[in-house]
Amino acid sequence: MPFKSELAQPSAAEAERTRNADAVMGMLTGHWTAQITRAAADLRIADHVAAGAATAQEIAEEESSDPDTTYRLMRACASLGLLVHEGRRRFRLTALGEVLREGVPGSLREAALVQRAPGHWQSWGLLPEAVRSGGNQVEQALGADIFTHFSRNPAEAGLFSKFMSNMTGMVIQDAISLLDLDGVGRVVDVGGAEGALVLQLMREHPDVEGQVFDLPHVVEDARRAAGEAGLSDRFTAVGGDFFTDVPEADYYLLKNILHDWADEQCRTILRNCRRAARPGGRALVIEALIGDIGKPDQAVLMDMNMLAVSEGLERDLDEFDELFAATGWKRTDMRATRSLYSLIELEAI
């Protein structure tokens, strides 16, 4: 039997309430999208489809997964725009899905995996408690701070380092094109992980000696990356603690370092760099800058991530200038890049 009649047209107020409810529901179910993306990255859906696998059956054979649930995952990926369904359960990759391939420029595969791994995922679950208490609840979530957690979980730490290196790729060409390294002998990448930024600078500047200064369990990855790049003769990697001291240099790179820490800790890092800087020393700070309140701003959302998982926070330019002035540095230039991040150049005073 057919329905009795057409639905009544909603009033303007009812239509607005529906739109608002749909928008908030999208916010509430954001973790569905995040976990679908993580599962796609974990099963290497994008890589398999790019290599010619068009069906769930083919991918299931490669990944030892269930064909039916693999199909359901691929169907969800198509709904998100990562795949296109071509009919008869066959799929192809989209430009959006390409970003989940491993090793492509700007790849976010490791980001999809590490952001949903225990270090971040479990800590985010305690965000309300972090807001109430005034600081992260990582110890409660993980039994250790995030960096100790990484040291105990090398696979997750490796994903995080790769993710950070991939993020560097988004700003590296802008940094290379803008930086003037005339007269610079040694560049130290403070907390530089695999050293993606300093290694690219070394490629562009054959007279520059590069060094990564990071935690002892990280630096071997930097040595390996330098060897693969054929730059070992001009490169060193040193393990240490930048809260104690940093190596001497003409130029310091601080990429996504200061946002990990509270103001007092940032002042310690910057003072140590200033103390070790050679005459005429300079530094490059790469960070996301918070913009005008109320406008869509990825940096503001990232600030919530910092609250959930670290001691740090995102800052606006005035807040950074206060840190620099208190530690013997002066900002000489600032450039927005084509990514989320800005380049802030400093000189020692």
Side-chain angles (χ1 to χ4, degrees):
M1 181 179 295
F3 292 115
K4 292 181 179 179
S5 63
E6 298 291 329
L7 287 174
Q9 290 297 312
S11 67
E14 290 171 334
E16 182 178 8
R17 282 195 296 271
T18 298
R19 288 193 298 271
N20 291 339
D22 288 345
V24 173
M25 182 59 73
M27 299 176 191
L28 296 177
T29 58
H31 65 288
W32 296 359
T33 300
Q35 291 289 15
I36 291 166
T37 308
R38 176 205 181 188
D42 188 63
L43 271 71
R44 299 181 180 274
I45 298 291
D47 289 309
H48 290 309
V49 176
T55 67
Q57 182 66 45
E58 292 171 298
I59 291 176
E61 290 173 1
E62 293 288 338
E63 292 292 327
S64 299
S65 59
D66 179 82
D68 289 336
T69 49
T70 302
Y71 169 73
R72 290 166 65 186
L73 173 61
M74 295 177 74
R75 183 175 61 188
C77 289
S79 178
L80 296 177
L82 300 171
L83 298 173
V84 169
H85 183 236
E86 297 188 310
R88 301 180 65 181
R89 295 196 168 205
R90 299 180 66 84
F91 296 86
R92 63 176 170 84
L93 194 62
T94 66
L96 198 66
E98 180 79 11
V99 181
L100 286 180
R101 290 183 61 193
E102 184 174 20
V104 300
S107 171
L108 291 179
R109 179 177 184 269
E110 286 79 13
L113 295 173
V114 80
Q115 291 294 325
R116 258 55 67 188
H120 284 77
W121 191 256
Q122 292 177 201
S123 300
W124 263 96
L126 296 177
L127 182 62
E129 289 78 2
V131 174
R132 287 193 175 95
S133 67
N136 73 71
Q137 301 297 295
V138 175
E139 294 272 354
Q140 182 179 341
L142 305 175
D145 66 82
I146 189 66
F147 295 110
T148 301
H149 170 79
F150 283 153
S151 70
R152 295 172 178 173
N153 297 272
E156 188 175 344
L159 287 172
F160 183 76
S161 292
K162 187 66 174 177
F163 161 50
M164 295 309 296
S165 293
N166 289 342
M167 294 297 287
T168 299
M170 298 181 182
V171 298
I172 195 167
Q173 292 305 320
D174 290 341
I176 296 301
S177 65
L178 291 172
L179 287 184
D180 179 2
L181 295 185
D182 286 349
V184 171
R186 174 185 286 183
V187 176
V188 171
D189 198 344
V190 179
E194 295 181 351
L197 178 55
V198 70
L199 291 174
Q200 185 61 35
L201 283 172
M202 291 170 65
R203 291 186 186 97
E204 299 292 328
H205 299 273
D207 296 329
V208 166
E209 172 191 335
Q211 183 177 91
V212 163
F213 181 73
D214 210 320
L215 295 172
H217 72 273
V218 173
V219 294
E220 187 56 40
D221 290 336
R223 293 190 186 103
R224 182 169 55 252
E228 292 171 354
L231 296 170
S232 295
D233 59 327
R234 292 188 284 128
F235 178 84
T236 53
V238 177
D241 180 357
F242 51 44
F243 292 118
T244 302
D245 55 33
V246 300
E248 180 182 275
D250 300 294
Y251 204 104
Y252 292 97
L253 305 174
L254 293 157
K255 176 185 64 67
N256 293 339
I257 298 300
L258 300 182
H259 79 153
D260 282 333
W261 307 103
D263 287 352
E264 181 179 355
Q265 295 159 314
C266 287
R267 286 191 286 268
T268 297
I269 296 168
L270 289 165
R271 285 193 185 105
N272 286 340
C273 291
R274 176 63 186 88
R275 187 178 301 116
R278 293 171 176 172
R282 292 183 289 155
L284 180 70
V285 171
I286 301 178
E287 294 284 355
L289 295 177
I290 289 180
D292 295 335
I293 296 175
K295 294 183 178 179
D297 188 351
Q298 190 69 24
V300 170
L301 303 183
M302 190 183 298
D303 183 53
M304 290 293 94
N305 183 63
M306 304 315 294
L307 174 59
V309 305
S310 77
E311 299 293 330
L313 66 156
E314 304 300 336
R315 297 173 173 88
D316 61 29
L317 190 57
D318 289 342
E319 290 170 320
F320 275 115
D321 282 343
E322 291 177 7
L323 292 176
F324 303 148
T327 55
W329 295 97
K330 179 178 71 174
R331 173 168 58 90
T332 58
D333 205 352
M334 191 280 290
R335 301 287 183 90
T337 70
R338 290 167 288 181
S339 72
L340 170 65
Y341 300 100
S342 293
L343 309 177
I344 308 171
E345 191 167 44
L346 314 176
E347 66 178 15
I349 56 175

